[in-house]
């Protein structure tokens, strides 16, 4: 059986084909930007052409496109939802658990993880601004023993598997009620108590104080400068969701002092508008400063899935604009994010909060053609949902022009295969690998022209990148055709070679 091949170079969805034909494989080298193709295409059948007996020639148009789709999962550390399984685990167990999560993500053909590094004005990395998290070591301010930096470790392990890692920050929560210990000496409640407010079961940084917003900006930009992250990610907690008093009434957020100070120094403004202005300024500043520091690092937010009830008309439910002062429609309309991941945590058929209707509405707000990667409530599978609900939501995402992937909440559901969701994804929607869609507004830079050598080794073929290459690619894509069947393999750049069977009898790679 002969194996056909062509050496080509792909960037932003365009194949630049070299003027010679080789044998055995199709090789593509891609940068982290890749293509912006909106959906995962079905593999196109190869165009049959007469083949001379000595070697096979293939039409470049017959090579199937590389699928491109965001396939990510949140790894939550607050309250030890996903990792580590409990506070204070021995370092060796922490590392083993994290490796297992990343192995699972790779096995399921995910291509990114959203790793929570700042649950509540604390850190799962060595921070000059905030204490070590209690959720990591069991005591706030206590470093891991023996010492290691979990974020650095997570980045290295994710990249080793060809996974992007986006660092996830909670911007204004200063303390979570699941924490049981005391505040560390270097926690902001002790170092700058004027910036922190007690609210119900929580402590909260006051977004109305410019110094509080600057503190969070400093925290995030420090990580951007010092770590090789692929993205900065914020969740939906800006102003807090309402806490209740003993009578079940909403507790007012206690920011009257900072509101009055603003009015004294500026013009009068409605308190709700002022709160939204605080968050809008923070989002815009973070986006601009992030791009000044490292333009290639993408900025994303996962807001509550409903902007306002009545938008679009059939939608009912929580008003994030009025209650947590998150004007997410403005962020996407102004182009202040590289991706938006609205938490569309409702079934496709639930008309007042229809997944499909909301997804279409969010895309209609997307004037700058940023990524729309809706969040899926995968952890509900096995409880009130069946796995088919997630499959349907992935289908609806693929059908929606402009939507290019999904993020699953959370990794635990995939790790423990709730309702067989992991098995169904691997044999169905995620049965082949895919690249993260490109962010072409960030960079159109092309990777170097690819080179590779091919060597017969017994009953196998060795594909090898040159050792003297000036820059190691982030990933390289290997395409093979055995008979009439195409296979795509996405390989981390540090792996400089790949062995392939000369005859693929069992379909395994």
């Amino acid at each position: 059986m002969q194996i056909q091949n062509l050496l080509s170079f792909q960037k932003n969805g365009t194949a630049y084909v070299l003027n010679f034909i080789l044998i055995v494989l199709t090789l593509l080298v891609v940068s982290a930007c890749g293509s912006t193709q909106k959906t995962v295409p079905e593999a196109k059948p190869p165009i049959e052409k007469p083949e001379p007996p000595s070697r096979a020639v293939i039409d470049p148009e017959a090579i199937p496109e590389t699928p491109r789709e965001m396939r990510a999962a949140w790894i939550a550390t607050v309250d030890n939802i996903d990792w580590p399984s409990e506070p204070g685990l021995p370092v060796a167990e922490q590392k083993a658990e994290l490796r297992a999560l990343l192995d699972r993500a790779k096995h399921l053909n995910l291509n990114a993880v959203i790793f929570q590094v700042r649950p509540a004005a604390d850190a799962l990395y060595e921070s000059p601004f905030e204490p070590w998290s209690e959720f990591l070591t069991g005591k706030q301010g206590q470093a891991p023993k023996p010492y290691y930096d979990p974020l650095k470790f997570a980045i290295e392990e994710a990249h080793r598997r060809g996974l992007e890692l986006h660092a996830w920050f909670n911007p204004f929560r200063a303390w979570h009620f699941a924490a049981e210990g005391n505040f560390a000496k270097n926690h902001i409640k002790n170092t700058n108590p004027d910036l922190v407010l007690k609210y119900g079961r929580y402590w909260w940084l006051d977004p109305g104080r410019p110094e509080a917003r600057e503190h969070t900006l400093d925290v995030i930009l420090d990580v951007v400068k010092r770590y090789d992250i692929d993205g900065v990610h914020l969740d939906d907690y800006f102003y807090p969701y309402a806490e209740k008093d003993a009578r079940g009434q909403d507790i007012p957020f206690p920011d009257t002092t900072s509101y009055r100070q603003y009015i004294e120094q500026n013009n009068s403004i409605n308190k709700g508008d002022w709160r939204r202005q605080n968050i809008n300024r923070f989002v815009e500043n973070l986006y601009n400063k992030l791009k000044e520091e490292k333009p290639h690092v993408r900025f994303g937010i996962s807001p509550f899935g409903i902007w306002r009830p009545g938008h679009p008309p059939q939608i009912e439910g929580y008003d994030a604009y009025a209650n947590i002062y998150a004007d997410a429609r403005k962020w996407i309309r102004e182009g202040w994010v590289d991706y938006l991941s609205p938490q569309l945590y409702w079934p496709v058929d639930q008309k007042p909060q229809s997944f499909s209707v909301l997804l279409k509405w969010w895309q209609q707000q997307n004037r700058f053609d940023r990524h729309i990667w809706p969040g899926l409530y995968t952890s509900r599978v096995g409880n009130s949902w069946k796995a088919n609900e997630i499959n349907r939501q992935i289908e609806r995402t693929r059908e929606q022009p402009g939507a290019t992937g999904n993020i699953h909440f959370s990794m635990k559901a995939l790790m423990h295969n709730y309702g067989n969701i992991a098995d169904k994804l691997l044999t169905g929607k995620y049965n082949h690998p895919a690249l993260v869609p490109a962010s072409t507004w960030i960079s159109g830079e092309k990777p170097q022209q690819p080179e590779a050598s091919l060597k017969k080794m017994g009953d196998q073929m060795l594909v090898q990148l040159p050792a003297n290459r000036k820059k190691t690619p982030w990933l390289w894509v290997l395409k093979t055709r055995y008979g009439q069947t195409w296979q795509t393999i996405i390989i981390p750049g540090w792996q400089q070679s790949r062995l392939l069977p000369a005859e693929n009898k069992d379909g395994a790679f």
Side-chain angles (χ1 to χ4, degrees):
M1 178 187 299
Q2 284 190 325
I3 306 172
Q4 299 177 342
N5 88 311
L6 181 70
L7 185 64
S8 67
F9 158 58
Q10 188 172 40
K11 172 71 169 126
N12 295 335
T14 304
Y16 300 86
V17 181
L18 303 184
N19 294 321
F20 55 87
I21 302 296
L22 306 174
I23 61 170
V24 176
L25 54 90
T26 301
L27 175 66
L28 300 94
V29 180
V30 302
S31 74
C33 291
S35 165
T36 54
Q37 186 175 309
K38 80 171 183 66
T39 58
V40 177
E42 296 294 330
K44 294 183 289 188
I47 299 173
E48 295 187 8
K49 287 183 174 290
E51 297 180 359
S54 59
R55 83 188 207 183
V57 178
I58 188 168
D59 184 345
E61 295 297 320
I63 302 172
E65 294 186 55
T66 306
R68 297 181 183 271
E69 176 181 61
M70 184 60 158
R71 299 175 185 171
W74 281 287
I75 297 178
T77 58
V78 64
D79 199 16
N80 301 99
I81 291 173
D82 290 300
W83 181 85
S85 59
E86 60 182 82
L89 279 183
V91 165
E93 291 185 34
Q94 291 180 8
K95 290 183 174 181
E97 286 187 353
L98 190 51
R99 286 193 185 103
L101 289 169
L102 298 173
D103 283 341
R104 184 68 159 172
K106 177 66 174 178
H107 175 69
L108 294 176
N109 286 325
L110 303 189
N111 47 34
V113 293
I114 316 296
F115 182 58
Q116 190 174 31
V117 299
R118 190 203 193 213
D122 54 358
L124 281 93
Y125 61 96
E126 186 168 0
S127 171
F129 298 101
E130 296 183 322
W132 288 97
S133 176
E134 175 181 325
F135 300 121
L136 179 69
T137 63
K139 181 180 179 181
Q140 190 176 92
Q142 179 174 292
K145 293 180 182 179
Y147 175 82
Y148 83 115
D149 186 320
L151 176 55
K152 183 175 184 293
F153 176 78
I155 293 168
E156 291 171 350
E157 293 292 324
H159 287 177
R160 183 173 180 80
R161 291 160 176 79
L163 299 167
E164 288 192 3
L165 186 139
H166 296 216
W168 165 16
F169 300 83
N170 186 287
F172 295 108
R173 187 168 59 203
W175 188 81
H176 190 279
F177 62 85
E180 298 178 353
N182 297 321
F183 292 98
K185 290 182 180 180
N186 61 331
H187 188 276
I188 194 166
K189 180 182 178 294
N190 291 325
T191 60
N192 205 334
D194 290 343
L195 303 183
V196 181
L197 301 171
K198 182 72 169 68
Y199 181 65
R201 298 170 297 169
Y202 296 91
W203 287 86
W204 213 265
L205 282 163
D206 181 1
R209 295 290 300 272
E211 303 94 329
R213 300 196 300 269
E214 286 298 321
H215 174 79
T216 297
L217 286 173
D218 289 342
V219 167
I220 296 173
L221 292 171
D222 167 65
V223 171
V224 172
K225 292 174 184 177
R226 295 193 294 120
Y227 293 87
D228 186 23
I229 59 174
D230 303 290
V232 165
H233 184 92
L234 303 182
D235 53 37
D236 56 323
Y237 293 93
F238 295 95
Y239 280 85
Y241 288 86
E243 288 281 288
K244 305 288 185 181
D245 62 20
R247 297 172 298 170
Q249 301 297 312
D250 288 354
I251 301 173
F253 187 68
D255 59 352
T256 300
T257 299
S258 53
Y259 175 53
R260 287 176 177 170
Q261 288 176 346
Y262 179 86
I263 291 176
E264 289 173 1
Q265 298 169 9
N266 301 276
N267 297 326
S268 180
I269 186 174
N270 171 275
K271 182 178 265 191
D273 291 337
W274 169 73
R275 287 172 172 171
R276 279 182 290 274
Q277 175 180 278
N278 295 332
I279 301 304
N280 290 340
R281 286 177 173 175
F282 170 77
V283 170
E284 182 183 17
N285 287 341
L286 176 54
Y287 182 77
N288 290 335
K289 291 184 177 183
L290 170 60
K291 295 307 172 183
E292 290 172 5
E293 188 63 40
K294 287 185 180 178
H296 70 277
V297 174
R298 279 158 292 176
F299 177 40
I301 304 179
S302 58
F304 186 77
I306 298 171
W307 176 64
R308 303 207 73 179
H311 297 268
Q314 78 182 61
I315 298 301
E316 304 171 5
Y318 188 78
D319 192 337
Y321 176 92
N323 292 319
I324 56 173
Y325 308 97
D327 191 356
R329 184 178 72 164
K330 184 176 182 65
W331 309 335
I332 190 73
R333 281 187 165 187
E334 297 293 338
W336 293 343
V337 293
D338 297 308
Y339 67 90
L340 200 72
S341 300
Q343 297 172 23
L344 302 187
Y345 289 173
W346 303 280
V348 169
D349 296 331
Q350 188 166 307
K351 186 175 180 180
Q353 299 87 29
S354 168
F355 178 94
S356 304
V357 171
L358 282 165
L359 176 58
K360 182 178 180 180
W361 182 87
W362 281 109
Q363 176 55 29
Q364 289 172 341
Q365 316 312 309
N366 188 12
R367 299 190 302 181
F368 286 89
D369 197 27
R370 301 304 199 232
H371 298 303
I372 299 291
W373 297 330
L376 308 182
Y377 203 171
T378 308
S379 291
R380 188 167 284 177
V381 173
N383 183 7
S384 56
W385 289 3
K386 293 183 178 179
N388 188 51
E389 179 61 44
I390 297 299
N391 284 332
R392 292 180 69 200
Q393 292 177 7
I394 294 173
E395 287 175 0
R396 296 301 186 274
T397 303
R398 291 177 177 179
E399 292 167 0
Q400 173 60 53
T404 56
N406 300 99
I407 305 178
H408 296 268
F409 186 85
S410 66
M411 194 61 211
K412 180 185 284 188
L414 301 176
M415 191 70 185
H416 296 289
N417 198 22
Y418 291 175
N420 294 319
I421 181 61
D423 292 343
K424 290 183 181 299
L425 287 173
L426 186 57
T427 58
K429 304 302 179 187
Y430 294 170
N431 68 347
H432 54 266
L435 297 172
V436 174
S439 303
T440 53
W441 56 91
I442 294 176
S443 173
E445 182 184 356
K446 298 174 182 177
Q448 290 177 283
Q449 180 172 292
E451 298 176 7
S453 62
L454 190 65
K455 182 186 296 185
K456 186 83 162 56
M457 300 184 68
D459 61 352
Q460 293 182 306
M461 304 299 296
L462 177 68
V463 185
Q464 192 162 25
L465 301 184
N468 61 349
R469 188 177 181 87
K470 292 181 181 179
K471 186 176 181 181
T472 301
W474 157 233
L475 303 169
W476 52 295
V477 179
L478 192 59
K479 295 188 178 182
T480 65
R481 202 184 88 173
Y482 292 85
Q484 298 303 310
T485 303
W486 283 98
Q487 297 268 3
T488 297
I489 313 168
I490 300 175
I491 305 169
W494 65 269
Q495 293 182 1
Q496 298 290 291
S497 62
R498 184 71 177 235
L499 275 171
L500 298 171
E503 294 187 16
N504 191 30
K505 296 178 181 180
D506 57 6
F509 283 87

